[in-house]
Amino acid sequence: MQSPTDSFKSKECIFCKIIAGTLPAEKVFENENVFAFRDISPQAPVHVLIVPKQHVVDILDVSGRDMEIFQHLFKAAQQIAAKLGIAGSGFRTVFNSGDHACQTMYHLHLHLLGGTQMGGSLVG
Ligand code: DGP
């Protein structure tokens, strides 16, 4: 598992390597700002990770002009949900930040989950 300190160096970041194409992943979407791929350990029939191409650690690491990152991620979520056929049935978007949320990968990522009826509880 990556530690926040280690993965802050983007050259060592697994998600940066996936974006660069030096580690394999099942890509579902890409544009100038965003890359999206299937989660290696899916928790729903559709489980996609949407990541900014710019290396930022978590939502606390985004400020100022970088706030546009959130716009890019949610715009991509809209497009991917439509592309994968879950826009109508519904989907969940989640950011995990820090220990209590069990963040394990320290490159900001928006989970997009759908394709099944999910429970109402957000805290496992
Ligand atoms: P989080 O707990 O929010 O930090 O979720 C990180 C997610 O990243 C977790 O659901 C598993 C996924 N993941 C970790 N390593 C890889 C990988 O190498 N490839 C892919 N596709 N997903 C990964």
Side-chain angles (χ1 to χ4, degrees):
M1 185 192 307
Q2 294 181 306
S3 76
T5 308
D6 289 343
S7 61
F8 195 82
K9 302 166 196 157
S10 59
K11 67 179 191 297
E12 297 171 10
C13 170
I14 286 171
F15 286 179
C16 283
K17 289 178 179 173
I18 288 174
I19 293 164
T22 57
L23 277 181
E26 190 182 341
K27 182 171 89 170
V28 297
F29 180 88
E30 181 176 12
N31 66 20
E32 185 185 352
N33 303 296
V34 165
F35 194 92
F37 52 97
R38 304 263 183 192
D39 194 292
I40 202 169
S41 181
Q43 297 186 39
V46 174
H47 188 171
V48 172
L49 302 175
I50 310 171
V51 305
K53 288 187 172 177
Q54 178 182 341
H55 181 86
V56 286
V57 172
D58 58 21
I59 64 170
L60 298 175
D61 194 30
V62 181
S63 62
R65 291 182 59 191
D66 289 348
M67 284 289 179
E68 284 185 359
I69 285 172
F70 294 118
Q71 192 176 344
H72 298 314
L73 293 176
F74 282 109
K75 177 73 176 171
Q78 291 177 336
Q79 294 175 270
I80 295 164
K83 178 179 177 179
L84 300 183
I86 59 168
S89 52
F91 56 89
R92 183 168 286 163
T93 47
V94 177
F95 287 113
N96 290 321
S97 295
D99 290 345
H100 278 191
C102 298
Q103 182 179 7
T104 58
M105 300 301 287
Y106 290 88
H107 180 131
L108 180 69
H109 50 283
L110 181 62
H111 293 261
L112 172 67
L113 299 137
T116 189
Q117 179 62 57
M118 289 175 270
S121 173
L122 293 177
V123 182

